[in-house]
Amino acid sequence: MLRLLRNAQIYAPDPLGRRDLLIADRRIAAIAPSLPRLPAEIPHEELDLGGLLLTPGLIDAHVHLIGGGGEAGPATRVPPLHLSELSTAGVTTVVGILGTDGTTRSVGDLVARTLGLREEGLDAHCYTGSYQLPLVTLTGSARGDIVYVDPIIGVGELALSDHRSSQVTLDELLRVASDAHVAGMISGKAGIVHLHMGDGPRGLELVRRALEHSEIPPRVFHPTHINRNRRLFAEAQEFAARGSYLDVSAFPEDDDPGDSLMAAEAIARWLHAGLPGDRLTCSSDGGGCMPKFDGHGHICGMDVGTPATLLQTIAALLADELPLERFLPAFTRNVADLLRWPHKGRIEVGAAADLLALTPDGRLSAVLARGTWLVRDGRPVVFGRFERSSA
């Protein structure tokens, strides 16, 4: 169905002012201050947005689609996420990961859930591998997974500077990054290595050495959780000039921040420091277990990530009176550029019809994914196949 959206305050993510927008065949077909009415003989929907903010759909590049956790036994495995948990968080494109547990969970399970979300209405992708080396894969190699398996776009989340990692060496990291990079070239995919950064004192040292001792482009390395402690965040700020993208995690609002920075504070600090705004991304770690360890490595508490923290971060930044166009790219265009999706993360003719309608204070009003309504009036209108029965 053609959809004509009128009277929207568009952030593309750059501000375009009030515009009308026409959607056809899952794409944005026209944008103008005033588009003509469509003939009644042509089936279409016309909707006046009344000046709501219209932004690209959020791209969440770090979500445990089949659940994370398990570090304190089988009962601590987080269950899979439902479609509406993503759609009501404003997420229209998602990238799934395994995380700590590549033993009881598999890349095959992750690919199956990714394809299921596509059937349910989202644009979904995933990484191969997990925290560990040797990498868990579907075809026997990261290169084969990226080249031959449609949803797989890179490797992740490989753990560094963490007691749960495989204590990766420089040569091992270079080999994984090389395979991902070349596979991305062959397949036309992102070909990145999404790196879990732990609390360890080595921080980004191994990534820095990888850039110094190889010809692998900086964009291949995508460290996440850079706001998990202030020391790592300071190191990431110095690292920004090297050309890598760096990812802030939107921790739950009720999570004890300790030495970490909440995503809104980290993004604001980054921008106020004049660091490259086009190299910063923000993801939710949705469905991931966020354990707290004591000095002996025992879990003494845990939280669970949720995609909803992305919109909470946007609302917090708006409340701090930071202009939307300054930080919105971290949730949209920057992620799309990193992942080589030129028609995502922006509002322009030919771009994907993945859109959010927000109130001026950042509350969600509506979500369009691939040109279809998933959320209307702040409530989901499309559900995953088993959501209602499980509820």
mmCIF file of all heavy atoms in Angstrom, residues 205-221:
data_model
loop_
_atom_site.group_PDB
_atom_site.id
_atom_site.type_symbol
_atom_site.label_atom_id
_atom_site.label_comp_id
_atom_site.label_asym_id
_atom_site.label_seq_id
_atom_site.Cartn_x
_atom_site.Cartn_y
_atom_site.Cartn_z
ATOM 1 N N GLU A 205 44.449 -2.168 24.229
ATOM 2 C CA GLU A 205 45.852 -2.368 23.835
ATOM 3 C C GLU A 205 45.993 -3.306 22.638
ATOM 4 O O GLU A 205 46.740 -3.028 21.693
ATOM 5 C CB GLU A 205 46.649 -2.935 25.018
ATOM 6 C CG GLU A 205 48.086 -3.287 24.662
ATOM 7 C CD GLU A 205 48.776 -4.089 25.756
ATOM 8 O OE1 GLU A 205 48.165 -4.268 26.831
ATOM 9 O OE2 GLU A 205 49.904 -4.542 25.519
ATOM 10 N N LEU A 206 45.268 -4.433 22.647
ATOM 11 C CA LEU A 206 45.412 -5.413 21.578
ATOM 12 C C LEU A 206 44.897 -4.859 20.246
ATOM 13 O O LEU A 206 45.480 -5.140 19.183
ATOM 14 C CB LEU A 206 44.661 -6.693 21.944
ATOM 15 C CG LEU A 206 45.127 -7.968 21.244
ATOM 16 C CD1 LEU A 206 46.607 -8.222 21.490
ATOM 17 C CD2 LEU A 206 44.298 -9.159 21.711
ATOM 18 N N VAL A 207 43.821 -4.070 20.284
ATOM 19 C CA VAL A 207 43.312 -3.460 19.052
ATOM 20 C C VAL A 207 44.314 -2.440 18.518
ATOM 21 O O VAL A 207 44.564 -2.353 17.309
ATOM 22 C CB VAL A 207 41.941 -2.800 19.305
ATOM 23 C CG1 VAL A 207 41.342 -2.309 17.984
ATOM 24 C CG2 VAL A 207 40.981 -3.765 19.983
ATOM 25 N N ARG A 208 44.879 -1.683 19.420
ATOM 26 C CA ARG A 208 45.887 -0.698 19.018
ATOM 27 C C ARG A 208 47.086 -1.393 18.352
ATOM 28 O O ARG A 208 47.573 -0.956 17.293
ATOM 29 C CB ARG A 208 46.329 0.089 20.249
ATOM 30 C CG ARG A 208 47.279 1.235 19.962
ATOM 31 C CD ARG A 208 47.360 2.198 21.148
ATOM 32 N NE ARG A 208 47.553 1.503 22.407
ATOM 33 C CZ ARG A 208 46.632 1.424 23.378
ATOM 34 N NH1 ARG A 208 45.455 2.005 23.226
ATOM 35 N NH2 ARG A 208 46.894 0.785 24.499
ATOM 36 N N ARG A 209 47.549 -2.491 18.926
ATOM 37 C CA ARG A 209 48.672 -3.222 18.346
ATOM 38 C C ARG A 209 48.290 -3.838 17.003
ATOM 39 O O ARG A 209 49.118 -3.903 16.077
ATOM 40 C CB ARG A 209 49.142 -4.303 19.317
ATOM 41 C CG ARG A 209 49.818 -3.745 20.570
ATOM 42 C CD ARG A 209 50.093 -4.852 21.576
ATOM 43 N NE ARG A 209 50.949 -5.894 20.998
ATOM 44 C CZ ARG A 209 51.032 -7.132 21.491
ATOM 45 N NH1 ARG A 209 50.302 -7.485 22.555
ATOM 46 N NH2 ARG A 209 51.827 -8.022 20.920
ATOM 47 N N ALA A 210 47.047 -4.288 16.870
ATOM 48 C CA ALA A 210 46.587 -4.859 15.603
ATOM 49 C C ALA A 210 46.650 -3.825 14.481
ATOM 50 O O ALA A 210 47.032 -4.139 13.345
ATOM 51 C CB ALA A 210 45.169 -5.396 15.752
ATOM 52 N N LEU A 211 46.285 -2.598 14.788
ATOM 53 C CA LEU A 211 46.346 -1.539 13.776
ATOM 54 C C LEU A 211 47.796 -1.179 13.445
ATOM 55 O O LEU A 211 48.114 -0.849 12.296
ATOM 56 C CB LEU A 211 45.588 -0.308 14.265
ATOM 57 C CG LEU A 211 44.066 -0.467 14.410
ATOM 58 C CD1 LEU A 211 43.450 0.808 14.958
ATOM 59 C CD2 LEU A 211 43.431 -0.839 13.078
ATOM 60 N N GLU A 212 48.659 -1.245 14.441
ATOM 61 C CA GLU A 212 50.062 -0.877 14.225
ATOM 62 C C GLU A 212 50.840 -1.948 13.475
ATOM 63 O O GLU A 212 51.834 -1.638 12.804
ATOM 64 C CB GLU A 212 50.730 -0.611 15.575
ATOM 65 C CG GLU A 212 50.206 0.642 16.282
ATOM 66 C CD GLU A 212 50.683 0.743 17.726
ATOM 67 O OE1 GLU A 212 51.297 -0.250 18.216
ATOM 68 O OE2 GLU A 212 50.440 1.786 18.358
ATOM 69 N N HIS A 213 50.394 -3.219 13.559
ATOM 70 C CA HIS A 213 51.164 -4.322 12.991
ATOM 71 C C HIS A 213 50.463 -4.998 11.819
ATOM 72 O O HIS A 213 50.783 -6.147 11.484
ATOM 73 C CB HIS A 213 51.467 -5.363 14.078
ATOM 74 C CG HIS A 213 52.405 -4.880 15.132
ATOM 75 N ND1 HIS A 213 51.975 -4.199 16.248
ATOM 76 C CD2 HIS A 213 53.756 -4.960 15.234
ATOM 77 C CE1 HIS A 213 53.022 -3.880 17.007
ATOM 78 N NE2 HIS A 213 54.108 -4.339 16.416
ATOM 79 N N SER A 214 49.517 -4.311 11.175
ATOM 80 C CA SER A 214 48.831 -4.915 10.031
ATOM 81 C C SER A 214 48.332 -3.824 9.093
ATOM 82 O O SER A 214 48.391 -2.630 9.414
ATOM 83 C CB SER A 214 47.650 -5.776 10.493
ATOM 84 O OG SER A 214 46.546 -4.958 10.875
ATOM 85 N N GLU A 215 47.831 -4.273 7.957
ATOM 86 C CA GLU A 215 47.225 -3.358 6.981
ATOM 87 C C GLU A 215 45.702 -3.411 7.026
ATOM 88 O O GLU A 215 45.033 -2.870 6.154
ATOM 89 C CB GLU A 215 47.701 -3.713 5.560
ATOM 90 C CG GLU A 215 49.197 -3.600 5.333
ATOM 91 C CD GLU A 215 49.992 -4.735 5.976
ATOM 92 O OE1 GLU A 215 49.502 -5.879 5.963
ATOM 93 O OE2 GLU A 215 51.087 -4.447 6.502
ATOM 94 N N ILE A 216 45.149 -4.053 8.025
ATOM 95 C CA ILE A 216 43.693 -4.182 8.136
ATOM 96 C C ILE A 216 43.089 -2.815 8.423
ATOM 97 O O ILE A 216 43.538 -2.105 9.329
ATOM 98 C CB ILE A 216 43.328 -5.189 9.245
ATOM 99 C CG1 ILE A 216 43.881 -6.581 8.891
ATOM 100 C CG2 ILE A 216 41.819 -5.248 9.444
ATOM 101 C CD1 ILE A 216 43.745 -7.591 10.001
ATOM 102 N N PRO A 217 42.062 -2.391 7.667
ATOM 103 C CA PRO A 217 41.463 -1.069 7.877
ATOM 104 C C PRO A 217 40.896 -0.923 9.285
ATOM 105 O O PRO A 217 40.325 -1.871 9.838
ATOM 106 C CB PRO A 217 40.349 -1.013 6.824
ATOM 107 C CG PRO A 217 40.729 -2.027 5.793
ATOM 108 C CD PRO A 217 41.448 -3.116 6.529
ATOM 109 N N PRO A 218 41.014 0.260 9.875
ATOM 110 C CA PRO A 218 40.497 0.471 11.239
ATOM 111 C C PRO A 218 39.013 0.161 11.381
ATOM 112 O O PRO A 218 38.575 -0.283 12.459
ATOM 113 C CB PRO A 218 40.789 1.951 11.495
ATOM 114 C CG PRO A 218 41.931 2.277 10.593
ATOM 115 C CD PRO A 218 41.737 1.442 9.367
ATOM 116 N N ARG A 219 38.210 0.384 10.338
ATOM 117 C CA ARG A 219 36.764 0.170 10.433
ATOM 118 C C ARG A 219 36.412 -1.292 10.734
ATOM 119 O O ARG A 219 35.296 -1.580 11.176
ATOM 120 C CB ARG A 219 36.053 0.596 9.153
ATOM 121 C CG ARG A 219 36.413 -0.229 7.924
ATOM 122 C CD ARG A 219 35.441 -0.014 6.768
ATOM 123 N NE ARG A 219 34.098 -0.459 7.073
ATOM 124 C CZ ARG A 219 33.706 -1.740 6.990
ATOM 125 N NH1 ARG A 219 34.567 -2.696 6.663
ATOM 126 N NH2 ARG A 219 32.464 -2.059 7.270
ATOM 127 N N VAL A 220 37.346 -2.219 10.481
ATOM 128 C CA VAL A 220 37.057 -3.636 10.718
ATOM 129 C C VAL A 220 36.878 -3.912 12.206
ATOM 130 O O VAL A 220 36.115 -4.789 12.598
ATOM 131 C CB VAL A 220 38.175 -4.513 10.118
ATOM 132 C CG1 VAL A 220 37.995 -5.983 10.504
ATOM 133 C CG2 VAL A 220 38.204 -4.359 8.600
ATOM 134 N N PHE A 221 37.553 -3.154 13.059
ATOM 135 C CA PHE A 221 37.486 -3.371 14.510
ATOM 136 C C PHE A 221 36.418 -2.449 15.108
ATOM 137 O O PHE A 221 36.504 -1.231 14.995
ATOM 138 C CB PHE A 221 38.839 -3.077 15.152
ATOM 139 C CG PHE A 221 39.952 -3.932 14.623
ATOM 140 C CD1 PHE A 221 40.792 -3.462 13.624
ATOM 141 C CD2 PHE A 221 40.168 -5.213 15.113
ATOM 142 C CE1 PHE A 221 41.825 -4.237 13.132
ATOM 143 C CE2 PHE A 221 41.192 -6.009 14.626
ATOM 144 C CZ PHE A 221 42.022 -5.518 13.625
#
